[in-house]
Amino acid sequence: MAEQAALPFAPRVITPAPYRPSPDQEEATRTLRQFARRFGRAESGLTAVVLDGPSGSGKSRLVQELGGDLDGLPLMSVDVQETAPMELFAAINACASAREMLVIEAREPMDGWLEGANHAPLDLVSRLQSVPRLHIDRPSAEALIPILSADLLLHGYRLSQDDVSFVTDRLPRHFSAPRQFCQNFDCSGAHTPRRERLQWALERVHVASHT
């Protein structure tokens, strides 16, 4: 199927679909709240948590939805892949001193990152081995269904349940994939058979590498 220009009457969508957390995100949020309450009761000690999971699992979105405050405890976050070891060490210490909760996002288990980190200070290694760790996985096809349905409605489309299942079974397990699919579907030919349009849009979903 050849590339086709966007339809002139394609809807202009400026509002993202409502946040619909996956079961892993919901469980991680509950656990983070438990840690926040525990940190809040303690007079001193580390206030960092490692949240690991592959790209697309929704780590950054989870932290964003918490809104910078977790049950009265200020919330900060850093991406371990984008933070130098000494900067990470300083962030852990600063948050502990200020009684702020620090979520350290990682795309792989922390032990793997530590093995690959060049010249990580021993004190940093000790701290990271002491903080609690949470894991969330990529969303399942079922978890993507409500997100895809919300995005489709924003774009003015209604698909049958069979078509929704067809799409979600083939989407990358990444929370940005439904949105990208809908944008591609806008650009598909209106007079092309529906399944060919769906397949054309699916083949052009390219997810970002961020968390």
Side-chain angles (χ1 to χ4, degrees), residues 36-57:
R37 288 192 290 270
R38 191 182 79 190
F39 296 156
R41 290 193 297 267
E43 294 183 359
S44 62
L46 297 178
T47 56
V49 175
V50 171
L51 178 62
D52 69 61
S55 175
S57 55

Side-chain angles (χ1 to χ4, degrees), residues 10-211:
R12 295 289 181 262
V13 180
I14 59 174
T15 304
Y19 176 61
R20 297 170 185 264
S22 69
D24 269 8
Q25 287 174 312
E26 291 178 332
E27 179 61 29
T29 298
R30 285 192 291 268
T31 305
L32 285 173
R33 292 190 184 283
Q34 292 172 1
F35 289 144
R37 288 192 290 270
R38 191 182 79 190
F39 296 156
R41 290 193 297 267
E43 294 183 359
S44 62
L46 297 178
T47 56
V49 175
V50 171
L51 178 62
D52 69 61
S55 175
S57 55
K59 301 181 297 296
S60 295
R61 183 62 188 270
L62 184 158
V63 174
Q64 175 188 339
E65 289 296 325
L66 292 174
D69 182 275
L70 195 56
D71 294 343
L73 201 67
L75 182 67
M76 308 290 290
S77 68
V78 294
D79 186 329
V80 74
Q81 275 80 19
E82 299 175 0
T83 309
M86 288 307 298
E87 293 175 347
L88 180 58
F89 183 58
I92 292 173
N93 289 340
C95 285
S97 297
R99 308 310 295 163
E100 297 176 347
M101 187 170 182
L102 177 68
V103 177
I104 303 170
E105 300 176 32
R107 298 186 189 101
E108 61 182 65
M110 190 54 64
D111 290 340
W113 180 84
L114 287 171
E115 290 176 4
N118 294 325
H119 310 298
L122 291 179
D123 283 347
L124 171 60
V125 174
S126 175
R127 281 163 173 72
L128 289 175
Q129 290 174 338
S130 301
V131 302
R133 305 183 188 189
L134 297 176
H135 175 80
I136 59 176
D137 210 342
R138 287 189 177 94
S140 64
E142 290 75 17
L144 290 177
I145 287 176
I147 302 170
L148 175 65
S149 299
D151 277 325
L152 286 167
L153 286 175
L154 284 172
H155 283 251
Y157 299 119
R158 290 184 181 275
L159 297 184
S160 69
Q161 189 58 51
D162 286 346
D163 283 344
V164 169
S165 296
F166 176 84
V167 172
T168 52
D169 285 346
R170 291 161 178 78
L171 278 177
R173 299 297 182 258
H174 196 295
F175 278 107
S176 71
R179 175 97 173 157
Q180 292 189 23
F181 168 82
C182 291
Q183 292 170 343
N184 295 338
F185 199 63
D186 276 344
C187 298
S188 62
H191 301 296
T192 304
R194 178 58 62 92
R195 276 301 169 96
E196 290 185 29
R197 291 184 68 191
L198 298 178
Q199 186 63 46
W200 186 91
L202 279 167
E203 290 172 355
R204 286 154 180 79
V205 173
H206 301 291
V207 296
S209 60
H210 57 69
T211 55

